[in-house]
Amino acid sequence: MQQHPMPDSLPGAAFWEALGWTPEPAQLGQLKALQDLLRSWNSRVNLTRLVEGDDYWINQVFDSLWPLQTELRSPHQSRLAIDVGTGGGFPGLAVAIAMPGARMTLLDSVGRKTAAVQAMVNDLGLSDRVSVRTDRIESAGHDRTLRGGFDLAMARAVAAAPVVAEYLVPLLKPDGNALLYRGQWGDTDLRQLKRALVPLNAQLSSSQHCQLPAERGVRHLIRLQPVSPCPRQFPRAVGVPSRQPLGG
Ligand SMILES: C[S@@+](CC[C@H](N)C(=O)[O-])C[C@H]1O[C@@H](n2cnc3c(N)ncnc32)[C@H](O)[C@@H]1O
């Protein structure tokens, strides 16, 4: 049997209390099954190094879900959500498990990752409400079935905040929310993001932070909302994204 370097126990009540959401037994089973699937797929496709013990439960599950405490109060509410640059399926798969009312699109440009994620979706029994798409968001964002269609658009560790804003905002319904998962976050980042939001007709609606359990560091969450209905044309900046900071 394969040996895992970290303890394989499930998180206790204090963990879920800190998260502000406690899974039903079936959801806990899905989260555990997802960990097993990641282990299995990781041996064939390099999806993520965060699969064992606290790496999985804190840096994947907790980190994916803490920003959604508002939404997790009504997890059965019908919502359309997209995870851009999902990689091995985070935060999107954890969100799909925690919010049974959500219909989720998981998008990534790397086909071997999306093939693995699609197989995991099937094995978790989520294929009726989770779809997986292989595409760059710069192209997929032109698709009328995606543009302006989502209540929630999220991205973790995909690009600099101004670029992620350009990716996510055009995907939102007029009352939708973009969730930018962040690690380090400073005044310069905030200034650059605010500048990028002007041509997108979007505004920063909130900025939160959270100390992860077991002193695993501080995480930030930036929420963006459109200030008016999305323009009909996809912003030029999304077609040819710049990874340079947008001014000082
Ligand atoms: C560092 S990984 C993060 C994966 C996952 N979100 C997580 O936090 O574990 C970044 C992922 O974004 C994807 N990606 C980067 N730019 C993209 C783009 N323009 N369109 C679609 N996917 C993109 C990459 O293929 C990669 O899987």
Side-chain angles (χ1 to χ4, degrees):
M1 198 173 136
Q2 194 182 349
Q3 293 296 309
H4 298 302
M6 297 181 72
D8 201 16
S9 56
L10 293 173
F15 174 92
W16 302 113
E17 201 174 307
L19 178 56
W21 171 78
T22 303
E24 299 292 333
Q27 290 171 310
L28 187 58
Q30 282 179 309
L31 290 171
K32 184 76 187 70
L34 173 55
Q35 183 183 29
D36 291 338
L37 289 166
L38 282 170
R39 282 183 185 131
S40 166
W41 277 101
N42 246 0
S43 62
R44 287 165 274 174
V45 184
N46 188 16
L47 291 178
T48 173
R49 59 185 176 79
L50 302 171
V51 287
E52 302 301 339
D54 284 356
D55 284 349
Y56 176 73
W57 290 103
I58 297 176
N59 291 73
Q60 300 283 34
V61 176
F62 193 106
D63 188 49
S64 293
L65 297 181
W66 77 264
L68 288 153
Q69 291 190 5
T70 306
E71 286 78 7
L72 286 170
R73 285 188 211 120
S74 54
H76 293 277
Q77 186 177 322
S78 171
R79 293 186 177 93
L80 290 175
I82 183 167
D83 178 15
V84 171
T86 194
F90 292 92
L93 275 177
V95 173
I97 289 170
M99 295 184 6
R103 298 189 74 82
M104 175 76 67
T105 300
L106 306 175
L107 180 140
D108 202 282
S109 56
V110 178
R112 63 182 190 285
K113 292 187 182 181
T114 51
V117 171
Q118 180 67 69
M120 293 194 287
V121 165
N122 296 344
D123 286 348
L124 291 167
L126 295 172
S127 54
D128 58 333
R129 59 185 182 85
V130 178
S131 64
V132 183
R133 179 165 173 156
T134 310
D135 213 339
R136 290 194 65 80
I137 188 60
E138 295 90 326
S139 337
H142 291 284
D143 187 331
R144 284 172 189 276
T145 62
L146 298 186
R147 280 177 53 76
F150 292 95
D151 301 294
L152 287 172
M154 59 195 77
R156 187 180 80 163
V158 173
V163 177
V164 175
E166 290 171 358
Y167 290 163
L168 299 188
V169 169
L171 303 173
L172 296 176
K173 292 178 181 176
D175 59 350
N177 280 271
L179 309 184
L180 280 62
Y181 288 69
R182 311 289 304 166
Q184 297 298 320
W185 186 250
D187 288 347
T188 309
D189 300 300
L190 201 59
R191 269 200 308 278
Q192 289 173 352
L193 177 61
K194 283 182 175 168
R195 254 173 226 255
L197 293 181
V198 175
L200 295 170
N201 290 321
Q203 63 189 355
L204 196 149
S205 67
S206 72
S207 165
Q208 300 165 259
H209 69 275
C210 170
Q211 171 71 55
L212 292 179
E215 298 183 5
R216 288 201 161 222
V218 176
R219 301 283 295 158
H220 291 88
L221 190 275
I222 305 295
R223 269 181 191 253
L224 308 177
Q225 285 183 323
V227 289
S228 61
C230 292
R232 293 192 72 79
Q233 293 301 311
F234 209 64
R236 253 158 64 88
V238 177
V240 188
S242 162
R243 289 178 185 267
Q244 300 301 314
L246 302 183

